[in-house]
Amino acid sequence: MNLAQTNFSFMLKTDLRFGAGEVNRLPDHLRTFGWKNLALVVDAGPARNPAWQSVQAILEREFAIVARLETEVTEPTYDYLDEVRRPFMGKPIDGFIVVGGGSVLDIGKALSLLVTNPGPAIQYRGFDLTKNPGPPLIAIPTTAGTASEVTPNAVFIDTKENRKFGINTAMYLPKLCILDPALTVTCPRSVTISSGADALVHAHESFVSKRATPITRLLALEAFQLVFNALGPVVEHPDDLDLRAQVQLGSYLAGIALFNSSAGPAGAMSYPLGVHQHVPHGLAGAVFLPRVIQHNIERGYTGYGPLYARVDGTPPINDPTEAGRLFAEEVWKLWDRLEIPRTLEPFGFTKADIPGFSEQAKLLKGAFDMNPVPFTMDDVRATLEAMTPAS
């Protein structure tokens, strides 16, 4: 690579505090910021996590909670945003505290802007359509995968068009992110797998993207190594705080790499599968990842050597083609270990669903175009055909 002829940009605006016990320092951060009136958005599951409950008790004792939402919604819609925004409107909010998985973080980010931008939420679907900055936000994820805590994206379902597309703006990039692995210990097995696999999709797509840069590739490699080598063990040893920390940090790095490069085919195909078959986002992208990798190898992509070298226990390989083949095998082995399906049959997807899925995929052509080798709409249909039972 000739760096003198390589122009790129890189953005990171969120302050990070990482480590076990960091969530206990939240009240200190609020005092430093001078915040007194808080809006609280909390995932109903993690709300019962002892590590969070002790901190919330301090917030309720020493600060004013002027608006609150506790939610169990995992696939939020724009209609839902309009419904839950009402208690937050017109309140003297110094800042939002958002605690939960990726969907809850997305909800909190959107609410922080909807309190200052009037009209239905759907009118802000797209890129940079909000005009007024909202109160600042602190993001505290309780899963490890989406990296919503550090990205300028929040994804919602448009129930009229029956598709996913986000409110995307740097306006709601969190002021502070607290990554505390203790908050992920109570994460259910299925969510640990889905969110961790989502992080690996992010790491892969940001590494191979046509928009990848020297910085995003470094981040993607480190992210891939952390998550790939720890995800299987952490599913089997969910109380291991060090494994939880590795997956959490890896997912954060993958998120930074992704929004500074681009998504790709696996991430794009997750959207229609999530909307129509109600598959969790991380799992919906993960089921396609090995197929995308195999497609790339068959079309002549030879860049998987660095990723393969980050898999624990693999011998050095100098032949890039062989490294790619072995890399694909390692991904399949991990997916089988995690019990991620090899076909779409478990999700109720049939041949009859392929035309509608393909039409939805056309709307995300930009992501397919970022793949290092061509991935056309014909390739989308061929992938679906190969993954769908005959009857």
Side-chain angles (χ1 to χ4, degrees), residues 75 146 164 193-205 263-275 277-293 331-332 335 340-344 347 357 364 368 375 383-384 387:
E75 293 288 345
T146 69
K164 275 186 178 182
I193 292 172
S194 178
S195 57
D198 193 24
L200 288 174
V201 171
H202 295 168
H204 169 268
E205 295 192 330
M269 287 191 287
S270 74
Y271 281 21
L273 191 63
V275 171
Q277 273 67 42
H278 309 292
V279 182
H281 171 71
L283 183 58
V287 73
F288 293 113
L289 180 60
R291 302 279 179 167
V292 172
I293 292 170
V331 174
W332 277 121
W335 260 221
I340 295 174
R342 288 187 173 226
T343 74
L344 299 176
F347 309 128
F357 186 109
L364 299 164
F368 293 99
F375 202 107
T383 300
L384 297 173
M387 299 178 69

Side-chain angles (χ1 to χ4, degrees), residues 15 235 257 270:
D15 192 4
V235 170
S270 74

Side-chain angles (χ1 to χ4, degrees), residues 215-237:
I215 296 176
T216 60
R217 285 196 179 96
L218 284 172
L219 291 171
L221 278 173
E222 185 66 18
F224 177 84
Q225 179 172 337
L226 285 166
V227 180
F228 192 91
N229 295 314
L231 185 55
V234 82
V235 170
E236 295 155 7
H237 305 281

Side-chain angles (χ1 to χ4, degrees), residues 19-44:
E22 278 297 327
V23 71
N24 296 319
R25 297 183 173 86
L26 174 61
D28 294 333
H29 295 302
L30 299 178
R31 297 182 193 103
T32 298
F33 297 157
W35 295 5
K36 296 180 180 178
N37 300 313
L38 307 178
L40 197 59
V41 180
V42 183
D43 194 316

Side-chain angles (χ1 to χ4, degrees), residues 102-301:
S103 294
V104 174
L105 294 180
D106 283 359
I107 292 168
K109 287 158 68 174
L111 289 175
S112 73
L113 281 182
L114 291 175
V115 298
T116 55
N117 289 273
I122 191 68
Q123 76 183 43
Y124 301 110
R125 186 188 72 181
F127 292 89
D128 299 317
L129 297 178
T130 51
K131 303 298 182 184
N132 308 309
L137 182 146
I138 295 175
I140 307 174
T142 58
T143 63
T146 69
S148 179
E149 69 273 8
V150 73
T151 64
N153 315 106
V155 181
F156 306 99
I157 296 174
D158 177 352
T159 53
K160 291 188 175 67
E161 296 185 8
N162 208 22
R163 70 184 182 104
K164 275 186 178 182
F165 199 73
I167 298 173
N168 306 288
T169 172
M171 275 190 178
Y172 57 31
L173 281 169
K175 177 183 179 70
L176 174 68
C177 162
I178 296 176
L179 294 182
D180 189 330
L183 292 175
T184 70
V185 169
T186 54
C187 189
R189 181 180 188 276
S190 62
V191 178
T192 298
I193 292 172
S194 178
S195 57
D198 193 24
L200 288 174
V201 171
H202 295 168
H204 169 268
E205 295 192 330
S206 57
F207 182 78
V208 305
S209 168
K210 288 180 180 178
R211 289 184 181 165
T213 72
I215 296 176
T216 60
R217 285 196 179 96
L218 284 172
L219 291 171
L221 278 173
E222 185 66 18
F224 177 84
Q225 179 172 337
L226 285 166
V227 180
F228 192 91
N229 295 314
L231 185 55
V234 82
V235 170
E236 295 155 7
H237 305 281
D239 294 329
D240 190 310
L241 206 59
D242 185 58
L243 291 172
R244 289 283 185 184
Q246 290 179 54
V247 177
Q248 189 177 50
L249 180 58
S251 72
Y252 169 84
L253 297 176
I256 298 170
L258 189 77
F259 90 77
N260 279 285
S261 54
S262 75
M269 287 191 287
S270 74
Y271 281 21
L273 191 63
V275 171
H276 296 284
Q277 273 67 42
H278 309 292
V279 182
H281 171 71
L283 183 58
V287 73
F288 293 113
L289 180 60
R291 302 279 179 167
V292 172
I293 292 170
Q294 195 62 47
H295 168 92
N296 291 349
I297 292 169
E298 292 172 357
R299 298 303 191 280
Y301 179 70

